[in-house]
Amino acid sequence: DALSPNELRELGVRSRLSDSPSGLAVYFEWLRYVAAGGYHSFLVLIDEVEWIALQSESKVSQILNTFREVFDRGVAKADPQRSCKSVFVLAFSPGCWDRLLEL
Protein backbone atom coordinates (compact mmCIF):
# COMPACT_ATOMS: atom_id res chain seq x y z
CA ASP A 1 0.00 0.00 0.00
CA ALA A 2 1.18 3.49 -0.78
CA LEU A 3 2.21 5.76 2.08
CA SER A 4 0.17 8.88 2.68
CA PRO A 5 1.76 12.31 2.05
CA ASN A 6 2.02 12.82 5.82
CA GLU A 7 3.80 9.47 6.25
CA LEU A 8 6.20 10.32 3.42
CA ARG A 9 7.04 13.67 5.04
CA GLU A 10 7.46 12.08 8.46
CA LEU A 11 9.93 9.54 7.03
CA GLY A 12 11.83 12.21 5.11
CA VAL A 13 11.02 10.73 1.70
CA ARG A 14 11.60 13.34 -0.99
CA SER A 15 10.73 11.26 -4.05
CA ARG A 16 9.55 7.80 -5.00
CA LEU A 17 11.63 5.20 -6.79
CA SER A 18 10.02 4.96 -10.18
CA ASP A 19 12.07 2.29 -11.94
CA SER A 20 14.05 -0.89 -11.30
CA PRO A 21 17.52 0.58 -12.05
CA SER A 22 16.99 3.28 -9.42
CA GLY A 23 15.68 0.75 -6.92
CA LEU A 24 18.64 -1.55 -7.56
CA ALA A 25 21.08 1.32 -7.13
CA VAL A 26 19.55 2.14 -3.73
CA TYR A 27 19.56 -1.56 -2.75
CA PHE A 28 23.25 -2.04 -3.57
CA GLU A 29 24.13 1.18 -1.78
CA TRP A 30 22.23 -0.15 1.24
CA LEU A 31 24.32 -3.36 1.11
CA ARG A 32 27.46 -1.21 1.29
CA TYR A 33 26.10 0.56 4.39
CA VAL A 34 25.28 -2.77 6.01
CA ALA A 35 28.81 -4.04 5.29
CA ALA A 36 30.28 -0.82 6.69
CA GLY A 37 28.43 -1.63 9.91
CA GLY A 38 30.35 -4.89 10.16
CA TYR A 39 27.72 -7.28 8.81
CA HIS A 40 28.44 -9.89 6.14
CA SER A 41 24.88 -10.79 5.11
CA PHE A 42 21.52 -9.09 4.71
CA LEU A 43 18.44 -11.31 5.08
CA VAL A 44 15.47 -10.46 2.86
CA LEU A 45 12.21 -12.21 3.76
CA ILE A 46 9.57 -12.14 1.03
CA ASP A 47 6.10 -13.46 1.77
CA GLU A 48 3.24 -14.07 -0.64
CA VAL A 49 5.44 -14.82 -3.65
CA GLU A 50 2.29 -16.06 -5.40
CA TRP A 51 1.46 -12.38 -5.92
CA ILE A 52 4.06 -12.40 -8.72
CA ALA A 53 1.99 -14.88 -10.74
CA LEU A 54 -1.01 -12.50 -10.64
CA GLN A 55 0.85 -9.69 -12.39
CA SER A 56 0.99 -8.95 -16.10
CA GLU A 57 3.58 -10.78 -18.18
CA SER A 58 5.75 -7.66 -18.46
CA LYS A 59 5.60 -7.06 -14.69
CA VAL A 60 6.51 -10.72 -13.96
CA SER A 61 9.44 -10.36 -16.33
CA GLN A 62 10.53 -7.15 -14.58
CA ILE A 63 10.30 -8.74 -11.11
CA LEU A 64 12.23 -11.87 -12.09
CA ASN A 65 14.79 -9.81 -14.00
CA THR A 66 15.34 -7.70 -10.87
CA PHE A 67 16.05 -10.86 -8.85
CA ARG A 68 18.45 -12.00 -11.58
CA GLU A 69 20.24 -8.66 -11.45
CA VAL A 70 20.62 -8.90 -7.66
CA PHE A 71 22.03 -12.41 -8.02
CA ASP A 72 24.35 -11.53 -10.92
CA ARG A 73 25.78 -8.49 -9.18
CA GLY A 74 25.97 -10.23 -5.83
CA VAL A 75 27.85 -13.26 -7.18
CA ALA A 76 29.83 -11.96 -10.14
CA LYS A 77 30.80 -8.58 -8.73
CA ALA A 78 30.94 -9.38 -5.03
CA ASP A 79 33.40 -7.31 -3.04
CA PRO A 80 33.17 -8.66 0.54
CA GLN A 81 35.20 -5.73 1.87
CA ARG A 82 32.71 -3.18 0.56
CA SER A 83 29.36 -4.96 0.31
CA CYS A 84 27.51 -7.71 2.14
CA LYS A 85 25.70 -10.55 0.40
CA SER A 86 21.93 -10.90 0.11
CA VAL A 87 20.13 -13.95 1.43
CA PHE A 88 16.57 -14.34 0.17
CA VAL A 89 13.90 -16.48 1.81
CA LEU A 90 10.74 -16.77 -0.29
CA ALA A 91 7.46 -17.93 1.24
CA PHE A 92 4.42 -18.94 -0.76
CA SER A 93 1.29 -21.02 -0.49
CA PRO A 94 1.05 -24.63 -1.71
CA GLY A 95 0.48 -24.70 -5.43
CA CYS A 96 2.24 -21.40 -6.08
CA TRP A 97 5.40 -23.12 -7.30
CA ASP A 98 3.36 -24.95 -9.97
CA ARG A 99 1.81 -21.67 -11.09
CA LEU A 100 5.24 -20.00 -11.29
CA LEU A 101 6.54 -22.91 -13.38
CA GLU A 102 3.63 -22.39 -15.79
CA LEU A 103 4.87 -18.85 -16.46
Side-chain angles (χ1 to χ4, degrees):
D1 293 333
L3 296 173
S4 71
N6 286 339
E7 291 169 321
L8 291 171
R9 264 192 308 279
E10 185 177 314
L11 293 170
V13 175
R14 290 183 294 251
S15 64
R16 296 176 187 254
L17 293 174
S18 59
D19 56 51
S20 291
S22 297
L24 283 169
V26 169
Y27 182 74
F28 288 113
E29 188 66 27
W30 170 253
L31 293 179
R32 284 191 280 282
Y33 287 129
V34 172
Y39 296 94
H40 302 287
S41 300
F42 180 68
L43 178 63
V44 181
L45 303 171
I46 302 176
D47 193 12
E48 312 246 357
V49 173
E50 59 268 21
W51 172 83
I52 295 172
L54 302 175
Q55 305 308 304
S56 67
E57 188 174 320
S58 64
K59 187 56 99 175
V60 169
S61 178
Q62 179 184 16
I63 292 166
L64 296 178
N65 199 32
T66 300
F67 279 122
R68 181 197 53 78
E69 181 71 18
V70 169
F71 177 80
D72 287 351
R73 283 199 202 174
V75 172
K77 301 175 185 173
D79 181 358
Q81 303 305 317
R82 295 191 58 225
S83 182
C84 69
K85 64 181 176 182
S86 299
V87 178
F88 287 89
V89 175
L90 308 176
F92 43 85
S93 63
C96 175
W97 183 250
D98 293 332
R99 284 185 286 181
L100 286 174
L101 289 176
E102 291 173 8
L103 295 174

